[in-house]
Amino acid sequence: MTQTSSAGSTPAGDVATEQAGNGHGSLPLLTLGVVGVVYGDIGTSPIYAFRQAMSVAPGGHNTTGEILGLLSLIVWALTLTVAVKYIFFVTRADNNGEGGTLSLMSLARKTFDKAPTWITGLGVLGAAMFYGDAMITPAISVLSAVEGLEIVAPNMTRWVVPITLVIIVGLFAVQRFGTAGVAIVFGPITAVWFLVLGTIGVVHIVQYPGILAALNPYYAIEFLVTHANLAFVVMGAVFLAVTGAEALYVDIGHFGRRPIVLAWFGLVFPCLLLNYFGQGAFVLSVGPETVRSPFFEMHPDWAIGPFVALATMATIIASQAVISGAYSLTQQAIALNLLPRMVVRHTSETQSGQVYMPQVNSFLMIMVLILVVAFRSSEALSQAYGIAVSGIMIVTLALLLVVMRRNWKWHTIWLVGFAALYAVIDGGFFIVNAAKIFNGGWVPVAVAAIVSLVMVTWMLGRRRLAEKTRRDEVPLSFLVDNLAKKRPTTVPGTAIFLTSDIEGAPTALLHSLKHYKVLHESNVILTVNTSPSPRVPDDEKVHYEAYNELFSRVIVTFGYMEEPNIPKALALARKIGWKFDIMSTSFFLSRRSLKAGQKGNMLRRWQDRVFARLARNASDATEYFHIPTGRVVEIGTQLVL
């Protein structure tokens, strides 16, 4: 009965993504926006990645060959993981122009008549791990930039953590105003950041051109072979260079694939490589044993102060990107019924993707502040960084293989080859990061476990609630037929009864008949569905069906990236023949008061209690669906799970 958009993605998914991006401006402006929003995270990795790779290899970085080996590992990690996997393949797996773990999950599910549970499980796991990433990224990015003050003024060391806390509080405090205004400066500032990275890198490469030999993968392989005892921990540090790659896929819907590709190969990738090579050249020029933080020390003394300020701005921008991503991910999860409803505030009248979620913002801010106070340095935080991101990459790979096989129709040989290559790379990164679990890596794991548990509990609770409600309710067809034969007293106007169950009579309708013993002259059973596609065209959004002169059914289908605005959707129904006046229409909602039952085992009873609490804390349906408050009648019912 429900009409949904089901267009799939193909390897040539650029058409959809280009259409998604074209609404935001010209290609140069889009590309500049990509530099600021998409690449802010990975653009701050040079601050700590090479430094950490050197620090975890004591005694293994005193020769030219070993420095070349470390650099070669970073170069090829960036090339194979970001340039090849994400740019050439993952960004093509768009779901009608949208990206991210949940979009990829929806795309993979659409290739099955009945999607296997494990695909949903992977989507839940990937989304949960993103929250761990969203907590650590602002903490490590801002902290690592402010630590540059120690180079300018060593006596400022004790002020690094307080200054970081102030910046983070300010960052989260301005989220309520939206990113529309400040986004104008994001692109130019980050573009300047990358140009400065590349320029200082070139200066030191010219002084030590032999560093370019690190382009040869032989040095990476040789380092791993000759330093087998260090390879494990070194690869964990090398992985820091590719953190932020997941943002490429998440932000496709805002910019389109072409600007993302142009920005990567035209500016970001070259400047990152030049800076890493420049750091290596600087270390070999002055001697590894004298260098503490090559990223800051490679600058002349007069430039360190301004550069620390620029680095701080760049890390704030990088943090903004991942915070906004957490809002978007939560909005998708709510639409896909993975999380209870939360308050979603749209901060832009022209760009629907710009949202602010107070509960998510408060949760992230508190967790980021706790991380900064607990770890106190970016070096310590790097031990906690990586597990969540590497886990997301494995989930992305698994879902991508499903799409490659079932949607793109890849030949088995090519599929197995691709899977084998990246199973080794992504699996290797995950293993080396998992080894840090007792040194701080448990933090994102714990967050992912809690969020996954909440999502699973919410899904199971909704399923049990629907089953119980279906058993208790009267079939809609039976009620409609009986009321048509024996019509009760009718009153003027239209009554719209919201229900998620297509087959059963709405609880609000049954209680209305029981207590008021009247019907409106027009009664509409309204069901709101979410499509596996990010957006549904207006001509497919509303399905209307008249049962008789008393009853009709309307099914409204929103994409999971759309704002569920019922009045606007019902206005579309006029085009298909349904006439109604909002001022003579009442919306009837059933507000359930849930109580945990005493049946089942301890786990079942615990899940029921958690689900009941989540349901109580969910945002009001009237606000979530933008129904005029003066037109709503809520009928309370109590239900034991």
Side-chain angles (χ1 to χ4, degrees):
M1 211 178 266
T2 305
Q3 298 180 15
T4 61
S5 175
S6 59
S9 177
T10 67
D14 306 76
V15 175
T17 53
E18 288 303 321
Q19 291 173 347
N22 286 342
H24 297 278
S26 64
L27 183 60
L29 290 177
L30 282 172
T31 305
L32 185 61
V34 164
V35 172
V37 175
V38 177
Y39 294 115
D41 190 1
I42 199 171
T44 57
S45 295
I47 298 177
Y48 46 79
F50 185 64
R51 179 200 68 194
Q52 192 65 15
M54 293 176 58
S55 66
V56 298
H61 54 269
N62 293 323
T63 68
T64 300
E66 287 157 347
I67 291 296
L68 292 176
L70 291 174
L71 281 175
S72 187
L73 286 169
I74 291 175
V75 168
W76 286 101
L78 281 170
T79 301
L80 293 175
T81 300
V82 185
V84 177
K85 179 187 173 184
Y86 274 89
I87 293 292
F88 284 120
F89 294 104
V90 176
T91 56
R92 293 180 182 270
D94 67 284
N95 187 1
N96 288 354
E98 295 295 338
T101 302
L102 294 180
S103 288
L104 189 58
M105 178 197 74
S106 298
L107 184 60
R109 287 171 58 175
K110 287 196 295 186
T111 64
F112 295 88
D113 293 331
K114 184 177 181 180
T117 304
W118 61 267
I119 289 184
T120 303
L122 283 175
V124 167
L125 183 60
M129 287 189 290
F130 184 85
Y131 288 102
D133 181 28
M135 290 183 342
I136 298 178
T137 294
I140 191 173
S141 297
V142 177
L143 190 53
S144 63
V146 178
E147 284 173 345
L149 289 173
E150 297 175 337
I151 307 297
V152 180
N155 60 340
M156 291 288 291
T157 299
R158 63 192 179 96
W159 292 101
V160 167
V161 170
I163 292 174
T164 300
L165 295 176
V166 170
I167 292 175
I168 288 172
V169 170
L171 173 64
F172 282 96
V174 300
Q175 294 300 314
R176 69 185 64 192
F177 301 111
T179 59
V182 294
I184 297 174
V185 299
F186 278 11
I189 290 177
T190 313
V192 170
W193 167 256
F194 280 113
L195 290 174
V196 171
L197 292 185
T199 301
I200 193 64
V202 169
V203 169
H204 288 282
I205 291 171
V206 169
Q207 297 174 359
Y208 200 102
I211 199 68
L212 295 176
L215 288 169
N216 189 342
Y218 165 81
Y219 289 99
I221 298 171
E222 182 189 42
F223 183 93
L224 294 177
V225 172
T226 58
H227 298 78
N229 60 322
L230 298 174
F232 200 73
V233 289
V234 166
M235 288 305 297
V238 168
F239 180 74
L240 297 174
V242 301
T243 54
E246 66 279 5
L248 295 173
Y249 188 42
V250 173
D251 290 314
I252 280 184
H254 298 290
F255 298 99
R257 180 174 182 270
R258 191 179 178 193
I260 288 176
V261 174
L262 288 176
W264 173 255
F265 288 109
L267 178 67
V268 178
F269 192 33
C271 290
L272 286 176
L273 293 183
L274 289 173
N275 191 264
Y276 282 121
F277 284 133
Q279 290 188 52
F282 171 75
V283 168
L284 290 178
S285 298
V286 302
E289 63 281 352
T290 65
V291 178
R292 180 184 173 190
S293 180
F295 181 78
F296 289 107
E297 293 176 22
M298 66 192 292
H299 294 80
D301 293 339
W302 61 267
I304 292 180
F307 188 72
V308 169
L310 179 61
T312 303
M313 286 190 289
T315 55
I316 292 174
I317 293 173
S319 302
Q320 174 65 54
V322 76
I323 294 169
S324 300
Y327 300 153
S328 298
L329 182 73
T330 305
Q331 184 184 26
Q332 292 182 35
I334 293 171
L336 293 171
N337 294 322
L338 300 177
L339 286 173
R341 293 188 303 267
M342 300 182 197
V343 175
V344 179
R345 296 176 183 170
H346 291 261
T347 59
S348 172
E349 296 181 357
T350 59
Q351 298 183 10
S352 60
Q354 292 190 9
V355 296
Y356 166 68
M357 306 188 72
Q359 294 104 318
V360 177
N361 190 70
S362 299
F363 167 75
L364 286 179
M365 183 182 72
I366 292 171
M367 295 305 297
V368 171
L369 293 175
I370 290 174
L371 286 176
V372 171
V373 172
F375 287 88
R376 305 193 67 82
S377 73
S378 61
E379 184 174 353
L381 260 175
S382 68
Q383 299 297 315
Y385 204 28
I387 294 182
V389 180
S390 58
I392 294 172
M393 289 182 175
I394 290 178
V395 170
T396 300
L397 175 63
L399 294 174
L400 179 65
L401 292 174
V402 175
V403 173
M404 285 177 164
R405 180 61 175 175
R406 300 183 60 86
N407 202 339
W408 298 354
K409 308 300 181 184
W410 269 36
H411 192 280
T412 303
I413 294 178
W414 293 108
L415 187 72
V416 170
F418 184 89
L421 173 62
Y422 284 99
V424 171
I425 296 174
D426 294 346
F429 279 139
F430 181 77
I431 291 171
V432 299
N433 281 291
K436 300 184 292 185
I437 191 167
F438 296 110
N439 296 325
W442 61 270
V443 174
V445 172
V447 171
I450 293 172
V451 174
S452 295
L453 187 60
V454 169
M455 288 184 172
V456 171
T457 300
W458 181 252
M459 288 189 293
L460 292 177
R462 278 180 53 86
R463 186 181 305 165
R464 287 200 288 267
L465 179 61
E467 292 172 352
K468 185 173 182 62
T469 302
R470 194 174 293 115
R471 289 195 301 267
D472 296 340
E473 286 182 347
V474 177
L476 179 61
S477 57
F478 175 82
L479 182 66
V480 169
D481 291 342
N482 277 276
L483 290 176
K485 294 175 183 177
K486 189 178 180 180
R487 178 181 300 193
T489 303
T490 58
V491 295
T494 299
I496 297 179
F497 298 91
L498 270 71
T499 179
S500 59
D501 185 3
I502 295 180
E503 303 298 332
T507 303
L509 172 59
L510 295 175
H511 282 265
S512 177
L513 284 170
K514 177 181 178 181
H515 295 288
Y516 303 137
K517 297 179 175 57
V518 296
L519 274 179
H520 285 71
E521 59 186 4
S522 176
N523 300 275
V524 179
I525 312 302
L526 175 64
T527 299
V528 178
N529 286 339
T530 301
S531 169
S533 299
R535 292 177 178 81
V536 176
D538 285 350
D539 58 352
E540 299 179 15
K541 196 178 293 292
V542 180
H543 177 82
Y544 175 81
E545 179 182 354
Y547 292 129
N548 51 43
E549 58 184 24
L550 271 180
F551 283 93
S552 58
R553 169 175 289 286
V554 173
I555 299 178
V556 179
T557 305
F558 295 103
Y560 62 81
M561 287 294 291
E562 292 183 293
E563 178 182 15
N565 190 311
I566 286 181
K568 286 184 179 179
L570 294 182
L572 298 173
R574 293 190 177 96
K575 299 179 181 179
I576 56 177
W578 180 38
K579 306 298 182 182
F580 79 103
D581 179 11
I582 189 69
M583 298 310 297
S584 62
T585 299
S586 297
F587 293 84
F588 287 79
L589 284 71
S590 175
R591 178 178 286 274
R592 295 187 180 96
S593 176
L594 303 179
K595 289 191 174 182
Q598 299 302 317
K599 297 180 180 180
N601 55 34
M602 184 180 297
L603 177 61
R604 168 68 181 271
R605 294 196 298 272
W606 177 84
Q607 286 182 324
D608 286 345
R609 285 196 292 270
V610 172
F611 176 72
R613 183 175 293 274
L614 290 173
R616 284 196 297 271
N617 292 329
S619 65
D620 184 65
T622 302
E623 180 181 2
Y624 184 74
F625 291 115
H626 298 273
I627 304 173
T629 54
R631 313 304 310 171
V632 174
V633 178
E634 290 190 348
I635 299 178
T637 60
Q638 190 175 93
L639 187 64
V640 179
L641 295 171

